[in-house]
């Protein structure tokens, strides 16, 4: 079976529907409306398919996607519906990596371009940019063959004073061997952000090598006598872990540490929380009160704020106190990744550029072994391992872009696009759980890199309000932590529900204008060249041709039609680019807040005096 | 009464002004009859000029001989003044308390204010009913301008001139007026050029418990229907509230007496409930707690967003009846001066592109709020901080502005003005140097002789530099009907008003300026340059051809 006719697609929040034909390919589900507009859904994006009971109009089929698209089809014949349903179920659950789209995706690129794409991001160069190696931090080769820790990258940075036996000993005392290593170096104060997993301390165990390791981190920073140890878990969870022989650092055993819990909930709480949120905002005829009560009871924004609060704590410790900080949670690949990367984003303007943001994700998430395969359910696996930890990180970044509209080179379109492809399995970057596995899969040879694709069309992801000099005056961002500054991210969770978004986009418009500014500038340059040519009366035959070409080029690009608004274009998944998502809103305008009225009152100086 | 008697201490030195997210200023505090002024007496430091009328409430605190006055303003700003000297502080506080709550209208600042700007166009004459009617006449001949209310005797809250169906005489109007709350007989609010359908507004019919009817009222509203067509009556109250109104002499149009009309009930709350909602919302926004749950539950409990949604939904309904169903509409609630006006004015924003221009929006406010008799003085005498028991205060107009802002957010290129204009109107309804929002009706304004004795806000607004400041750089005229989304996820808290003083808005302002710069750079400089060059080039080409 490859297509079914007379299928109706119901609009999610209204009573409207469109009819068309449903096609099923090896990689996509495609719905073609009678007017030839198509809705394309990648199989990897489908989280669940549900066949509802038969109604008079046909057999309903509800498909929920990981990019928060929900489609509701009604198929006329039950047998057809069942066929689609069972085909989808088979296609939905790939069991081996080879079945993933990335291995068959072919964007008409030559081998050289593909290879260059993978070389765009160089983490060695990134540590050099931070000023590492230096006189206190060095590159160690202990994990060259993934022998000490198989979920860490090969290249790791540790204090110069941390000898190999200390490293090996410390790694044996840490969950999954994830011993403390450097992830960000704040050059100005020579303060380090390090990450690891929980210690295997149980109720009383200690490890001298691990203690020396922390001592070495502390000693590598002359600005502060102590090092902060941030356990990002709620205290209760950490204590419960002690019964399993894990736990947290005892301040009595470690000299010069300051221990702190920050209370971010675990992956299971986050999964349930987002599910509840989606249930709330997915209900039709939602009242404002149910919406706000739902936002509260699902706890999602509370969790988002907890992550941002933790990142702010980290940032203050490093930039204000100049102290080094060691961040961990249980395994050190979920909450730790969130807090370290968000903290770095607050501290270092480089990460607020498009390229820098990619480097940040590559470093703190991909290389340090955030389990993308498990968390994003890439292969048929344990549903308890699935969790929207990375989505939550993207949302935290979005909340910051809302508070600091000038600080980020990218707009939310970049965040949405990254989110899209974390789940699409179309590019190799996010496949598998760690670097070691990625190397085994030879992703660099067999798949394409998302970063190359995004950089090629980066003009779509630019934030028009970005001000590069903002970083000079605000190198460190200090976000507000008042709850009223955290908002529901409609453009993420309702990105496919067109009716909910503004019908005109400020972002899109200003971007277009900015582009047309550049074109106008070019036109001016061309015009000036031409007129100097004429003025100098220096047009020989060859130049004449050139001039004519120039003239036609100049007249062709009339800028007036560049500012026209195009409304309501459905976005497709395949190769979806920023330009196609114009319905997915832009919120710039309102966030700019109100400007104080200029001195209306002070104009009246003389008069006010006279009245008293 | 002399202001001097009320000001025991006109001047105190060494006063420290503290405002959130702004540097503290130390200087001299002066009290005048209408202003609280703080001047640092240094160059380049901004001064504080605060209208007493803008002060909603004050609190005093003492630590030793250092007194602190916390001033809470009607524009929702909160500032703190540290005043050395117990006596000075007490004097200042009591003066502020008296001066900010003066009852006498003739002492209001607009009567003392003299403009320091050149009035190009007198705002009092900018939006005369006669001129508005000329536009209507060019579209239809079915309506006439009646001066039945020329001495305000038929309806005290209506203007002297109202538009009514041509075939209905003044006598009928008088009788219909006797049957409507406050004498507010049905009058024309909006004519939809596209299909000739109309929107009317009125007060509730006085049917009472025994179902009184009035043939003239029926005749009046039926005269607006085309042959064989039905209309809609949108009652802004729920059925049960409308039923209860019968006991107090009010009521609603029964199917039996108005067979050509279909009645729809909506649920826009009465003004006292709206005031409570504003107080709760502002309290939630000022809460310094860092608990997300507390914030969300307080926001929910305030019900503010629910009111926004309800008002917008009703306005969309009215607009839908007119534009989609091709039916005429009559809107009323109880008095017809609050929820009714919210609905009729918002429906026009949705339907009529003219209302989305700077001039057109002023005309709308003038027509549907000022002339239509919204009691601004009563509604806006206190804001969210006042401790005194609210009497008639209610943020009815603020809710309307909030709804306009929601539509503006959803159609950011379809409005000629930016949210600055809406914020400006919010400020001036509560405290102003202009006379525009004084009084409760056209008749009160005429008695106060405001057009002679005060300056109109529109005179200030309609100057080129102010128009430019209030303009939306993204504006491109959009002649379509604009349907906003009323899903809770699409409605946002109006940060420009409610979180305006909560954090440094500087970076947000800068970002906005940057955007304006991009657009203006494009429109003005580059386009001009290209055009000039093209012209030069064309000239050169002709010269060259001539040479050939």
């Amino acid at each position: 079976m490859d297509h079914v006719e007379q299928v109706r697609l119901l609009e999610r929040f209204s009573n409207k529907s469109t009819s068309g034909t449903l096609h099923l390919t090896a990689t996509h589900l495609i719905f073609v409306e009678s007017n030839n507009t198509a809705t394309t859904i990648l199989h990897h994006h489908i989280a669940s398919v549900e066949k509802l009971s038969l109604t008079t109009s046909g057999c309903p089929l509800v498909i929920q996607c990981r990019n928060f698209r929900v489609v509701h089809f009604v198929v006329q014949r039950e047998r057809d519906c069942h066929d689609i349903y069972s085909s989808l179920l088979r296609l939905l659950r790939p069991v081996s990596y080879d079945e993933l789209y990335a291995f068959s995706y072919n964007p008409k690129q030559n081998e050289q371009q593909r290879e260059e794409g993978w070389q765009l991001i160089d983490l060695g160069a990134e540590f050099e940019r931070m000023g590492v190696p230096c006189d206190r931090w060095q590159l160690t080769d202990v994990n060259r063959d993934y022998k000490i820790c198989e979920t860490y990258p090969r290249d790791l940075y540790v204090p110069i004073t941390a000898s190999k036996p200390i490293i090996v000993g410390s790694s044996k005392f840490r969950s999954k061997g994830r011993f403390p290593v450097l992830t960000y170096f704040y050059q100005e104060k020579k303060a380090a952000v390090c990450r690891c997993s929980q210690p295997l301390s149980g109720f009383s165990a200690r490890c001298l090598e691990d203690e020396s390791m922390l001592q070495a981190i502390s000693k590598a920073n002359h600005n502060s006598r102590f090092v902060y140890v941030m356990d990002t878990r709620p205290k209760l969870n950490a204590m419960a872990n002690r019964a399993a022989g894990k736990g947290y650092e005892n301040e009595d055993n470690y000299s010069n540490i300051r221990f702190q819990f920050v209370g971010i909930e675990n992956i299971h709480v986050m999964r349930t929380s987002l599910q509840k949120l989606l249930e709330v905002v997915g209900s039709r005829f939602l009242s404002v009160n149910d919406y706000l009560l739902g936002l509260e009871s699902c706890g999602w924004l509370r969790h988002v704020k907890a992550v941002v609060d933790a990142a702010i704590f980290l940032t203050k410790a490093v930039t204000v106190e100049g102290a080094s900080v060691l961040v961990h949670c249980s395994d050190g690949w979920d909450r730790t990744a969130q807090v370290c990367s968000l903290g770095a984003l607050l501290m270092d303007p480089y990460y607020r550029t498009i390229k820098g943001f990619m480097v940040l994700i590559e470093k703190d998430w991909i290389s340090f072994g955030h389990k993308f395969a498990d968390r994003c359910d890439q292969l048929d696996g344990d549903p308890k391992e699935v969790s929207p930890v990375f989505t939550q990180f993207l949302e935290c970044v979005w909340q910051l872009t809302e508070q600091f509209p000038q600080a980020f080179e990218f707009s939310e379109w970049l965040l949405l696009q990254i989110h899209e492809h974390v789940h699409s399995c179309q590019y190799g970057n996010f496949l598998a759980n760690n670097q070691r596995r990625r190397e085994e899969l030879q992703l660099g040879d067999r798949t394409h890199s998302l970063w190359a694709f995004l950089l090629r069309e980066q003009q779509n992801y630019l934030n028009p309000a970005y001000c590069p000099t903002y970083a000079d005056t605000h190198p460190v961002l200090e976000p507000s932590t008042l709850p009223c500054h955290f908002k529901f991210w409609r453009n993420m969770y309702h990105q496919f529900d067109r009716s909910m978004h503004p019908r005109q986009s400020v972002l899109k418009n200003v971007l277009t204008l900015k582009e047309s500014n550049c074109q106008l500038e070019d036109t001016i340059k061309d015009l000036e060249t031409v007129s100097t040519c004429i003025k100098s009366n220096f047009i020989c035959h060859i130049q004449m041709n050139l001039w004519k070409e120039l003239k036609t080029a100049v007249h062709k690009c009339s800028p007036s039609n560049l500012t026209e608004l195009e409304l309501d274009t459905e976005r497709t998944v395949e190769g979806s680019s920023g330009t196609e998502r114009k319905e997915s809103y832009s919120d710039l305008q309102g966030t700019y807040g109100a400007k104080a009225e200029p001195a209306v009152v002070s104009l009246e100086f003389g008069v006010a005096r006279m009245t008293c | 009464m002399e202001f001097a008697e009320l000001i025991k201490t006109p001047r105190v030195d060494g006063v420290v002004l503290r405002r959130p997210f702004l540097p503290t200023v130390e200087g001299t505090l002066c009290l005048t009859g209408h202003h609280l002024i703080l001047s640092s007496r240094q160059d380049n430091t901004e001064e504080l000029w605060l209208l007493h009328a803008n002060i909603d409430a004050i609190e005093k605190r003492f630590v030793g001989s250092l007194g602190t006055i916390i001033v809470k303003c009607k524009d929702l700003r909160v500032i703190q003044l540290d005043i050395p000297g117990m006596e000075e502080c007490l004097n200042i506080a009591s003066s502020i308390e008296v001066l900010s709550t003066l009852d006498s209208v003739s002492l209001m600042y607009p009567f003392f204010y003299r403009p320091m700007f050149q009035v190009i166009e007198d705002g009092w004459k900018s939006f005369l009913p006669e001129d508005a009617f000329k536009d209507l006449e060019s579209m239809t001949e079915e309506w006439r301008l009646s001066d039945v209310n020329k001495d305000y005797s038929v309806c005290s809250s209506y203007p002297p001139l109202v538009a009514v169906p041509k075939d209905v005489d003044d006598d009928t109007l008088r009788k219909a007026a006797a049957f409507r709350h406050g004498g507010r007989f049905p009058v024309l609010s909006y004519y939809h050029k596209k299909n000739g359908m109309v929107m009317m507004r009125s007060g509730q019919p006085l049917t009472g418990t025994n179902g009184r009817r009035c043939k003239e009222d029926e005749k009046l509203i039926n005269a607006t229907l085309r042959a064989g067509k039905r209309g809609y009556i949108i009652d802004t109250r729920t059925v049960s509230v409308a039923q209860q109104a019968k006991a107090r002499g009010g009521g609603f149009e029964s199917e039996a007496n108005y067979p050509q009309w279909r009645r729809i009930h909506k649920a826009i709350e009465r003004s006292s409930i709206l005031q409570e909602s504003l107080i709760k919302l502002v309290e939630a926004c000022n809460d310094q707690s860092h608990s997300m749950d507390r914030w969300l539950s307080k926001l929910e409990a305030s019900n503010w967003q629910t009111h926004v949604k309800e008002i917008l939904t009703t306005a969309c309904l009215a607009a839908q009846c007119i534009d989609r169903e091709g039916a005429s509409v009559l809107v009323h609630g109880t008095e017809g001066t609050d929820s009714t006006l919210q609905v009729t004015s918002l429906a026009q924003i949705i339907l009529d592109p003219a209302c989305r221009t700077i001039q057109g929006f002023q005309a709308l406010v003038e027509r549907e709020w000022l002339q239509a008799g919204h009691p601004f003085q009563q509604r806006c005498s206190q804001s969210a901080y006042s401790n005194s028991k609210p009497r008639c205060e209610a943020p009815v107009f603020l809710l309307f502005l909030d709804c306009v802002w929601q539509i503006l957010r959803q159609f950011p290129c379809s409005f000629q003005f930016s949210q600055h204009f809406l914020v400006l109107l919010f400020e001036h309804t509560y405290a102003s140097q202009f006379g525009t929002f004084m009084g409760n009706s056209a008749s009160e304004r005429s008695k106060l002789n405001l057009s002679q004795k005060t300056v109109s806000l529109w005179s200030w607004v309609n100057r080129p530099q102010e128009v430019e400041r209030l303009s939306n750089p993204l504006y491109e005229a959009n002649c379509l009907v604009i349907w906003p989304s009323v899903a809770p996820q699409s409605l946002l808290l109006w940060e420009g008003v409610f979180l305006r003083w909560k954090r440094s808005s500087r970076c947000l302002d800068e970002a906005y300026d940057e955007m304006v710069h991009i657009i203006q750079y494009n429109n003005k400089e580059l386009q001009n340059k290209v055009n000039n060059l093209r012209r030069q080039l064309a000239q050169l080409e002709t010269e060259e051809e001539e040479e050939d």
Side-chain angles (χ1 to χ4, degrees), chain B residues 472-514:
Chain B
N472 171 11
L474 287 173
Y475 176 61
E476 273 184 70
N478 171 4
C479 59
L480 301 172
V481 175
I482 52 177
W483 299 107
S485 160
V486 294
Q489 297 96 313
S490 306
L491 303 176
L492 302 167
L493 179 69
W494 190 5
E495 288 181 73
V497 165
F498 299 111
L499 302 181
R500 182 180 176 190
W501 313 103
K502 291 278 93 59
R503 68 165 168 186
S504 171
S505 55
R506 213 173 55 212
C507 60
L508 302 177
D509 284 348
E510 281 166 4
Y512 181 80
D513 290 344
E514 174 65 24

Side-chain angles (χ1 to χ4, degrees), chain A residues 98-382:
Chain A
D98 294 342
E99 296 173 51
L100 296 180
Y101 187 36
F103 295 101
S104 58
Y105 173 63
N106 184 2
K108 298 188 192 79
Q109 243 182 17
N110 64 38
E111 191 52 25
Q112 194 196 343
Q113 281 173 311
R114 202 191 56 76
E115 275 172 22
E116 279 169 8
W118 282 109
Q119 284 150 14
L120 277 171
I121 285 169
D122 176 358
L123 289 184
E126 169 56 14
F127 278 93
E128 256 170 55
R129 187 192 67 85
M130 293 179 210
V132 177
C134 60
D135 55 346
R136 290 166 204 173
W137 292 87
Q138 65 176 356
L139 177 66
T140 170
D141 60 0
V142 287
N143 206 37
R144 265 288 132 85
D145 308 311
Y146 300 110
K147 288 241 168 73
I148 305 282
C149 174
E150 58 175 8
T151 59
Y152 266 173
R154 289 177 192 272
D155 292 342
L156 294 167
Y157 296 82
V158 292
I160 280 193
T161 52
S163 64
K164 217 162 184 173
I166 289 180
I167 293 174
V168 174
S170 170
S171 82
K172 284 188 177 141
F173 188 65
R174 293 274 169 181
S175 201
K176 310 275 191 318
R178 294 169 69 92
F179 62 97
V181 293
L182 181 78
T183 178
Y184 180 69
F185 189 65
Y186 187 67
Q187 237 173 329
E188 203 184 309
K189 299 250 165 105
K190 306 271 182 239
V193 178
C194 298
R195 56 185 288 173
C196 63
S197 60
Q198 64 184 338
L200 304 176
S201 53
F203 289 99
S204 58
R206 55 189 288 189
C207 165
L208 291 176
E209 289 91 342
D210 194 61
E211 288 160 25
S212 313
M213 187 73 192
L214 264 69
Q215 187 74 4
I217 292 172
S218 181
K219 286 269 165 64
N221 180 353
H222 300 311
N223 273 318
S224 175
R225 285 184 302 100
F226 56 86
V227 52
Y228 278 103
V229 176
M230 266 177 90
D231 190 328
T232 56
R233 301 169 291 181
K235 189 173 182 184
L236 214 63
N237 301 20
M239 282 167 69
N241 261 303
R242 288 200 297 193
K246 299 163 187 173
Y248 53 91
E249 292 81 357
N250 183 340
E251 271 185 303
D252 299 338
N253 297 341
Y254 293 83
S255 47
N256 307 326
I257 70 162
R258 284 209 184 162
F259 187 83
Q260 177 83 35
F261 287 112
V262 285
I264 302 172
E265 299 288 350
N266 65 24
I267 58 165
H268 311 295
V269 174
M270 298 307 183
R271 178 180 56 241
T272 323
S273 172
L274 184 60
Q275 256 164 14
K276 276 194 199 155
L277 174 74
L278 295 174
E279 268 168 42
V280 170
V281 298
S283 59
R284 297 178 71 180
F285 312 114
L286 183 64
S287 77
V288 173
N289 293 48
D290 287 344
Y291 166 65
L292 291 172
L293 288 174
L295 274 189
E296 184 197 338
S297 68
C298 77
W300 180 254
L301 283 174
R302 173 159 43 87
H303 300 315
V304 167
K305 183 169 136 54
V307 177
V308 174
D309 284 347
I312 292 172
F313 178 88
L314 168 67
T315 305
K316 278 202 179 132
V318 172
T319 60
V320 180
E321 296 183 46
S324 292
V325 183
L326 175 64
V327 184
H328 73 72
C329 47
S330 297
D331 291 315
W333 50 41
D334 294 310
R335 289 168 272 205
T336 302
Q338 286 180 326
V339 174
C340 289
S341 54
L342 215 52
L345 196 71
L346 292 176
M347 284 183 251
D348 193 333
Y350 174 63
Y351 298 127
R352 298 172 218 146
T353 64
I354 291 181
K355 178 80 185 292
F357 190 61
M358 294 171 177
V359 168
L360 184 68
I361 291 174
E362 190 75 31
K363 173 170 72 73
D364 274 322
W365 292 85
I366 296 174
S367 89
F368 275 115
H370 173 69
K371 301 202 289 176
F372 278 105
D374 289 358
R375 298 289 179 261
C376 304
D377 206 14
Q378 289 169 354
L379 297 183
D380 198 11
D382 181 359

Side-chain angles (χ1 to χ4, degrees), chain B residues 327-355:
Chain B
S328 286
V329 173
L330 169 67
V331 184
H332 70 72
T334 306
E335 291 94 347
T337 54
D338 295 295
S339 59
T340 305
L341 305 182
Q342 289 172 329
V343 173
T344 56
S345 54
L346 281 168
Q348 291 177 58
I349 297 271
I350 294 168
L351 293 170
D352 185 3
C355 294

Side-chain angles (χ1 to χ4, degrees), chain B residues 381-396:
Chain B
S381 69
Q382 305 286 346
S383 167
Y385 296 122
S386 172
N387 301 315
S388 57
K389 203 165 171 275
R391 289 157 300 178
C392 307
E393 290 78 8
V396 176

Side-chain angles (χ1 to χ4, degrees), chain B residues 59 143 188 217:
Chain B
E59 275 170 31
W143 296 81
L188 181 74
D217 186 71

Side-chain angles (χ1 to χ4, degrees), chain A residues 545-557:
Chain A
N545 282 340
L546 183 76
W547 174 47
K548 273 186 183 142
E549 260 171 51
L550 258 176
K551 255 179 20 185
T552 29
V554 161
H555 288 296
K556 244 191 257 167
C557 63

